[in-house]
Amino acid sequence: MIIETYRATLKHDTGMIRVKVVSLSGERGAIQQITTAEHCPECAIIKLKKIDTKKV
């Protein structure tokens, strides 16, 4: 099992926000988690950067 940690920068009406996400299903899974948790469209994600990868 591979655990990946991502840092995302989101653009909001009132400014910008950074969020860290842990995903088991790669970049696509991280995007899905962010859009679900923040109730935002994919176009709100400005930058998505992989921080860490761990094998368990």
Side-chain angles (χ1 to χ4, degrees):
M1 181 183 329
I2 298 173
I3 300 172
E4 298 175 334
T5 306
Y6 291 91
R7 181 176 54 212
T9 305
L10 306 173
K11 185 172 173 92
H12 193 267
D13 292 339
T14 59
M16 297 174 78
I17 186 172
R18 285 197 177 141
V19 179
K20 282 188 183 177
V21 178
V22 177
S23 176
L24 295 174
S25 52
E27 185 175 328
R28 191 75 225 155
I31 291 171
Q32 182 69 31
Q33 287 180 11
I34 293 166
T35 56
T36 302
E38 296 294 325
H39 303 288
C40 66
E42 282 189 36
C43 63
I45 300 172
I46 297 172
K47 187 176 180 183
L48 186 67
K49 182 179 179 183
K50 188 188 303 186
I51 298 173
D52 192 25
T53 303
K54 290 185 181 179
K55 257 189 174 178
V56 177

